[in-house]
Amino acid sequence: MLVLSRKKGESIIIDDHIEVTILSTDADTIKIGISAPKNIDIYRKEIYHAIQLSNQSAAVNVADIQDFLNEKQE
């Protein structure tokens, strides 16, 4: 993990395409702005993990359905 110190209004650039800017700081909260191409998805970590769990669950359900259909054909 890269650890950087930034002040309000300062930015970092990731891979020439993504800019992360510190917008404000207030006690325990930091507001950041992210500029990225439209084809790059940006999620909060907890939302990303929820999406991953949902996708895994859906994949298992599809496998169960396929197994069921295979049994019916036999």
Side-chain angles (χ1 to χ4, degrees):
M1 175 187 301
L2 174 63
V3 179
L4 299 171
S5 296
R6 299 278 75 200
K7 294 179 182 177
K8 181 179 174 181
E10 294 181 334
S11 300
I12 62 169
I13 303 294
I14 302 170
D15 197 32
D16 294 328
H17 303 290
I18 303 167
E19 181 176 3
V20 180
T21 303
I22 305 303
L23 301 177
S24 66
T25 59
D26 182 36
D28 293 341
T29 303
I30 299 170
K31 238 181 225 187
I32 61 171
I34 303 169
S35 298
K38 297 252 185 234
N39 65 323
I40 295 178
D41 295 327
I42 301 171
Y43 300 104
R44 294 182 320 206
K45 187 174 183 177
E46 63 273 16
I47 300 298
Y48 178 78
H49 284 298
I51 291 168
Q52 295 301 312
L53 288 173
S54 177
N55 288 345
Q56 290 172 358
S57 176
V60 169
N61 290 338
V62 169
D64 290 343
I65 292 169
Q66 187 63 45
D67 289 344
F68 176 78
L69 292 174
N70 288 340
E71 289 174 6
K72 286 290 189 185
Q73 289 177 355
E74 294 174 357

